[in-house]
Amino acid sequence: MDIVMCVVGNVHVLSKQRGSRSVCRISEFSCSRGKCVSGDKFCNGIDDCGDGSDEPRYCTPCNRTYYGEWGSTYSLSLSSETISSILQSRQDGKNPIQGSSSSATGDKKPASAHFVCQLAFAAAGDNFGDFVQIMFDSINIGQFTSSMVQGCPTGSLQIFEINRPITGGQWCGTGVGYSVYFSEMSAIVLTLSIGNHTPSVATPGSNQNINHVSNETRARRTNDTVHNFSKWTSRGGDTTVITGSQQQTNHFEFDFKIRYKFIPKSLAVVRYGLLNSPIERGVLVPDTYCSRVLDTCHKIRCKIQSPNYPGLYPRNVTCYYTVRQREVPPCKRVLIQVTQMKPHKVQLRSIPGRQLLSNSGSYTLEQSTSMDAFLAWEDCRGDRDSLIIYDGTSINDPILLKLCGGTYIPPITSSGPAILVAFHSTAFGNPLDPKPAAPFPSPLRGFELDVGVVIVDSESADYNNQHNCSFIFISSLEEEHLGFHAQEKGGNWITGKSGTVSSPRHTIPLNTTCRYEFRGSKHEAIWIYFSAYRRDLIKDSKEYEGNCTTRLRIWDGIDTRNNALLATYCDNELPRLCDHKALQNETRLVRACTANESYISAGSRLIIEQQFMEGTALRPLHYQFNYEFVRRHAGTDGTCNRHYNLAKIKSNRGIIRTSDDVFDFGRGGKTNITCIYTFTLPSYESLHLKILNSSFGDRPCNTLTDFETGRYVCNESMGDQGWRPPSASIDIYEEIWTNINITSHRNCICGNSTNNPMFFFTFLGRKVHVKFTVENMKSQDSHENFYVYFEYELKSGGCRGDNHYMKTESGMISLESSFSHGLKDKPPTCEHYPWIIEAREGYSLYLRVPGYAMVDTLNAAFGKFTNRTLVNGTGLEYQQSSVISTSFENRMCPTTKNRIFIYDRNNKQIHKICPASNLQQMTKKAGQIVEIYSEEFDQFQSPLYPALPPKFVIEFIGRELGSYRLQWLELMSAKMKVALINMEKVKTGKSLSIPSISGDGTSLLHNITFPNIVDSTKILAEQDLLPTSHHDQQQQSIQNQICESFCPELNACISDKLWCDGEVHCPTTLSDEKSCDSFWLTVNQLMSPAVYIPVAAAIVSALVCCGLVMLCLFLKRTVLNGHSIKENGEGISSLDRRLERVDPHDPIS
């Protein structure tokens, strides 16, 4: 094998290669008799060769190169006796390694008071390993006094690695172990220095090799070295006490025991990972000892390891670990996180073994070094190893954590795609702990940090942009909402109507304030509620009494200049919490947050400030709150109702959305909502409504078309046992008459209309109402799942219905159908609008309609819809099967599709009539006449407290050709009339004079208790109390005393104006026309409106025509006279001359 020499430190490392004969392997020592023993057996005080060749006189294990095979453990020790032997050999002039004299002449010169021992360990590869592992079992080298300057004045240990810069760091002091050192390279050199001063550092590759020091130099140093060494080699060294005026040095023993191994790279899994799961340690920065760059942590496992991990790290090193993320997904932000929560992977020298208390005091040997103490920030003085984590790639960036002791490192996250970890070890240290009590602490292994990549949304409050923890939330990007251009201001801008804000995902530096400002539009307020607010403390971190380490402030920004402090909280004080919201998920619903659990701004601005005096590395603060920009402008009545006066709105067209105020819905604490949107139309204008989009959550409801009216109705699916689910719908109806709260043309829309056709409506009345209703909302319901968008457009062609408002004693209404009414037919006209019939105060209404009443199949079908048509995508109508209860008379209307609906004054439908045509005789069959009395008829009403005048609303639905007439009559019941007469008689002191009809002459009607006067006289006649021959005469006498215009079949009095007016009003007895004289009948006929109105109109027309003719003749004559004067050349002057010649006394002819 060939011999190759490599220089490591001051030691020439010999390596044997193939081509040379050798009995022993490179890791063995060849004895004189050819026996091979392990290389660590040389000079171990035991004759392992058997011939003493491995234990020559004055031998030493120093200044040698050691090899070994992986899988084997070797040992090496160096004691004070060994050093004494070496120094004695120098005094005797012998070579301590070869056993020869120091010089040819044998001259003895004083030796230097300094001793250096170098031990080289080389891994030759393959079976001889790739790295060197040194295990320190016991060390007693010199005296450790300081971690800073001259910390090892009397002796030290240094470790050099081949092809790596020299750090100059040293170990010294006393301790037992153990500690482990793993090389980064294939060869290392341990240098032991003993003496009164720190040895000079020998650079690798220099020619200062201890094997080549001249014998004269050794002899010169021997005497002084033996003299000084003998002073501090006595056993049982005591603690050294140093005072300001006196220094007494006791003696320390020397001890150095190690074990070493050679391991292949394949087994270094702690450092490099497994083959299928490697560890990325980064790229070593050139010309540095341990600085590295990691930029592929999104693809592979990354670790930040201390130098020579997992073992003892060198002294006097400064390492910079830069982690960058170059690839960033679109619309995302990348943060870098480092952490280590496993105690055995974080071991820093937190407290030195000996600690100077003061310059004038004393220092003592501590019992042990505290490895559990969490030391950070101000505890990290210059005499302690430290880790500093920066939020960026430069040491000028904010510091996130400064750590110098502890068993773990909390998660530290940068605010951007880069982080810098700086590690610094002191120049001096003790590789082992001072002798502690059992159990011994674990070996000092350095640290290993896990590196992770955190991805957040680029437009969020999860990170600080350019170290600026200031966020501005706006509901929209419109400049009028901001008050300035967003580009002119700094901070992080976030747009959206609502969202969730959590504490920053990264670590906050010291003395940082995170500011969240919310800016809404004019009618917006900000709703804030915290679902979490938790403050944690890292183990052994310090509490500061008297001052807040964290402070939360909430400001109500009324405007940009004035802010009102809503609340302030310090450290463990909690804001208003709606913490049950944190339990809500897709399968679990919780109640809404109340006003006592949230904050609502008074204006359109709100500010939240969270201060971190101590940062969040050791005082993590986790908070989460939800924000919403809510519309808080209410209607004139303080509710969600809206009123749009279209005469005052410039645009004739617009789109309106139902309430988007969250406080009107379940998520804002409400259970039910009813909002009415009212449109007031200008004169003779029509309104066109179009439902663009609607959402009613998950309510089971369909929109159907009523088969009889052609209008939309809501079909709510019934639950078990007839249970009615909560409704959600919009009702659309209109008011035709001013100041009369009677509506018509009612339509109901429900169900989501995303896949349904749009709904169109045309209204000609004075007001149109859109009523939005949701019942029994859940806590998660809001304007996001319950809404309606509708478009309105104002057009010409409206009507006011004044000619359909009847307030006379009687009349007749003609109903004509040209098949133009209905949603799918031609637009409605004013003639198809409802009629109102109103009576005077104290009177009732009687309505006579040709046709017959129909059973309301909607109510008779036990809640099931009948005669309805479903609205499908084509808009066609399909008649549904009818399910009618047999307990009701099912009277359908096979003759016509037209209908007449009668409503009372409260818009309650009281009759549905199948009308009979005008061609049919109204009196042909009694079953074809529907007689309707107003509700208060035949009931006594006190004149002191009169009821509202009765009203009938008549709505005609014409779905095919047809012509119909109905009559009405204003009347007063006999009972009410008698009561009024009695009250009047009582006031005047008189009594009602009714003829005596009993045998004794006593009136039987003195109490006026008969409900029907006609029936009362009939009862008297049947009981023979009144002679039959006198029945008609007596009845007429009683009726005349009640009223002169009495209709017996109606049992009521009609207006006196209607009596003998030429028209029949008493439908069957014709009493109002039967006994009339022909003269007065003629007069009444002439005075009827049907006669005198046309006559008066004709007379007025004739007078107007005569006046126009006379005016035209006068104008014509005037024009002709003026023209004649002009033609004769005579103007005004000639006329004056003629007048001058006239004698004023002459008569004018």
Side-chain angles (χ1 to χ4, degrees), residues 651-944:
S651 176
N652 293 334
R653 187 173 183 178
I655 297 178
I656 297 177
R657 182 218 154 104
T658 53
S659 175
D660 56 356
D661 189 346
V662 69
F663 295 101
D664 290 336
F665 295 87
R667 197 153 54 83
K670 291 291 186 65
T671 302
N672 304 318
I673 178 178
T674 299
C675 300
I676 300 177
Y677 302 86
T678 302
F679 297 88
T680 300
L681 279 64
S683 300
Y684 301 102
E685 298 285 343
S686 63
L687 183 68
H688 295 252
L689 281 182
K690 182 190 301 183
I691 305 299
L692 302 178
N693 190 11
S694 63
S695 174
F696 297 96
D698 55 354
R699 303 299 168 89
C701 184
N702 294 321
T703 302
L704 307 178
T705 300
D706 189 286
F707 181 73
E708 292 182 336
T709 63
R711 295 178 185 146
Y712 295 118
V713 294
C714 295
N715 179 16
E716 298 173 350
S717 302
M718 296 298 178
D720 297 338
Q721 300 179 354
W723 174 77
R724 177 180 173 273
S727 65
S729 62
I730 54 171
D731 293 298
I732 305 175
Y733 51 94
E734 65 177 328
E735 293 182 19
I736 303 175
W737 301 274
T738 305
N739 300 326
I740 299 179
N741 188 21
I742 294 179
T743 60
S744 65
H745 296 162
R746 185 177 294 271
N747 292 270
C748 181
I749 308 294
C750 67
N752 302 330
S753 64
T754 303
N755 299 323
N756 292 341
M758 292 184 294
F759 301 94
F760 301 88
F761 305 92
T762 300
F763 299 98
L764 308 179
R766 296 180 182 272
K767 288 184 179 181
V768 178
H769 304 276
V770 179
K771 183 179 180 181
F772 175 67
T773 304
V774 183
E775 296 179 354
N776 196 16
M777 289 181 288
K778 301 176 183 178
S779 58
Q780 78 278 12
D781 292 335
S782 69
H783 58 281
E784 296 177 353
N785 56 334
F786 286 98
Y787 59 85
V788 176
Y789 286 90
F790 54 92
E791 181 183 19
Y792 73 89
E793 185 177 4
L794 193 64
K795 294 184 178 181
S796 60
C799 60
R800 285 297 171 265
D802 297 335
N803 57 338
H804 283 205
Y805 184 25
M806 302 300 174
K807 199 173 181 179
T808 58
E809 293 84 356
S810 68
M812 180 179 293
I813 298 176
S814 297
L815 304 176
E816 303 288 339
S817 174
S818 59
F819 195 43
S820 62
H821 191 65
L823 295 176
K824 298 177 178 62
D825 303 327
K826 296 179 181 179
T829 63
C830 296
E831 295 300 325
H832 298 100
Y833 265 62
W835 296 72
I836 286 185
I837 303 174
E838 183 177 355
R840 292 174 294 171
E841 184 178 326
Y843 284 83
S844 299
L845 282 176
Y846 167 73
L847 192 62
R848 187 177 177 87
V849 185
Y852 54 86
M854 301 175 60
V855 176
D856 189 354
T857 56
L858 176 61
N859 298 326
F862 296 105
K864 296 185 178 180
F865 280 89
T866 60
N867 293 337
R868 302 292 191 264
T869 57
L870 178 66
V871 179
N872 60 12
T874 60
L876 299 179
E877 297 182 355
Y878 297 93
Q879 185 172 358
Q880 306 290 356
S881 60
S882 300
V883 183
I884 308 298
S885 170
T886 56
S887 62
F888 291 87
E889 181 184 3
N890 181 17
R891 301 188 65 185
M892 305 302 292
C893 187
T895 59
T896 180
K897 293 182 180 180
N898 299 330
R899 299 289 184 270
I900 296 177
F901 295 96
I902 310 298
Y903 303 88
D904 62 8
R905 65 175 303 111
N906 298 320
N907 275 1
K908 179 182 178 182
Q909 181 179 324
I910 56 178
H911 280 284
K912 179 170 63 175
I913 300 174
C914 176
S917 173
N918 292 335
L919 300 178
Q920 301 173 353
Q921 296 294 330
M922 296 180 62
T923 58
K924 183 176 182 180
K925 293 182 180 180
Q928 290 186 353
I929 299 297
V930 180
E931 295 179 301
I932 304 173
Y933 291 85
S934 57
E935 184 179 2
E936 75 288 338
F937 179 76
D938 209 20
Q939 295 179 2
F940 175 75
Q941 300 180 28
S942 173
L944 300 178

Side-chain angles (χ1 to χ4, degrees), residues 998-1012:
S998 62
D1000 57 359
T1002 304
S1003 175
L1004 300 178
L1005 302 177
H1006 63 280
N1007 291 326
I1008 314 298
T1009 58
F1010 300 111
N1012 191 310

Side-chain angles (χ1 to χ4, degrees), residues 213-233:
V213 177
S214 62
N215 293 332
E216 292 81 1
T217 303
R218 292 196 189 97
R220 188 168 53 250
R221 298 174 180 173
T222 299
N223 293 331
D224 295 335
T225 301
V226 172
H227 174 74
N228 293 312
F229 186 76
S230 61
K231 292 182 180 180
W232 47 272
T233 54

Side-chain angles (χ1 to χ4, degrees), residues 287-343:
D287 300 329
T288 65
Y289 188 87
C290 52
S291 297
R292 295 178 178 271
V293 177
L294 301 90
D295 55 6
T296 58
C297 296
H298 63 292
K299 298 180 180 179
I300 193 172
R301 241 187 348 153
C302 289
K303 307 282 186 179
I304 294 178
Q305 297 175 347
S306 58
N308 302 94
Y309 183 82
L312 196 67
Y313 50 78
R315 296 282 97 198
N316 197 33
V317 294
T318 298
C319 308
Y320 295 100
Y321 304 90
T322 304
V323 185
R324 293 192 184 97
Q325 178 64 32
R326 301 185 184 276
E327 298 182 10
V328 179
C331 302
K332 297 294 181 180
R333 174 86 170 188
V334 173
L335 315 179
I336 306 300
Q337 183 181 86
V338 294
T339 182
Q340 185 54 260
M341 303 303 293
K342 297 178 181 179

Side-chain angles (χ1 to χ4, degrees), residues 435-508:
K435 298 178 180 180
F440 294 150
S442 59
L444 190 63
R445 303 181 57 170
F447 61 87
E448 181 184 67
L449 306 184
D450 296 330
V451 180
V453 176
V454 180
I455 299 178
V456 299
D457 293 333
S458 59
E459 188 174 340
S460 68
D462 292 339
Y463 69 96
N464 298 343
N465 188 12
Q466 298 178 354
H467 310 304
N468 182 12
C469 194
S470 177
F471 305 93
I472 301 177
F473 300 83
I474 54 177
S475 58
S476 66
L477 289 175
E478 299 179 9
E479 299 297 339
E480 57 268 21
H481 294 179
L482 305 179
F484 52 84
H485 294 281
Q487 295 78 4
E488 299 176 358
K489 301 291 182 179
N492 308 307
W493 292 84
I494 300 174
T495 306
K497 290 290 185 180
S498 63
T500 301
V501 177
S502 300
S503 51
R505 297 281 298 274
H506 56 84
T507 305
I508 303 297

Side-chain angles (χ1 to χ4, degrees), residues 274-417:
L274 300 174
L275 183 62
N276 58 352
S277 180
I279 294 176
E280 174 60 35
R281 304 173 65 224
V283 179
L284 185 66
V285 178
D287 300 329
T288 65
Y289 188 87
C290 52
S291 297
R292 295 178 178 271
V293 177
L294 301 90
D295 55 6
T296 58
C297 296
H298 63 292
K299 298 180 180 179
I300 193 172
R301 241 187 348 153
C302 289
K303 307 282 186 179
I304 294 178
Q305 297 175 347
S306 58
N308 302 94
Y309 183 82
L312 196 67
Y313 50 78
R315 296 282 97 198
N316 197 33
V317 294
T318 298
C319 308
Y320 295 100
Y321 304 90
T322 304
V323 185
R324 293 192 184 97
Q325 178 64 32
R326 301 185 184 276
E327 298 182 10
V328 179
C331 302
K332 297 294 181 180
R333 174 86 170 188
V334 173
L335 315 179
I336 306 300
Q337 183 181 86
V338 294
T339 182
Q340 185 54 260
M341 303 303 293
K342 297 178 181 179
H344 67 281
K345 291 189 175 183
V346 180
Q347 293 183 352
L348 298 177
R349 181 67 64 184
S350 59
I351 300 177
R354 291 179 173 88
Q355 183 177 12
L356 291 176
L357 300 180
S358 64
N359 294 333
S360 60
S362 62
Y363 68 91
T364 61
L365 179 64
E366 294 186 354
Q367 190 74 14
S368 64
T369 302
S370 174
M371 297 296 296
D372 295 331
F374 205 100
L375 304 178
W377 299 117
E378 67 276 0
D379 295 327
C380 297
R381 302 187 298 268
D383 58 345
R384 294 173 182 173
D385 303 340
S386 63
L387 270 174
I388 304 177
I389 304 177
Y390 297 90
D391 189 10
T393 59
S394 170
I395 59 175
N396 296 322
D397 291 323
I399 298 177
L400 300 179
L401 177 64
K402 185 175 183 180
L403 183 71
C404 58
T407 57
Y408 67 97
I409 295 179
I412 306 298
T413 308
S414 67
S415 63

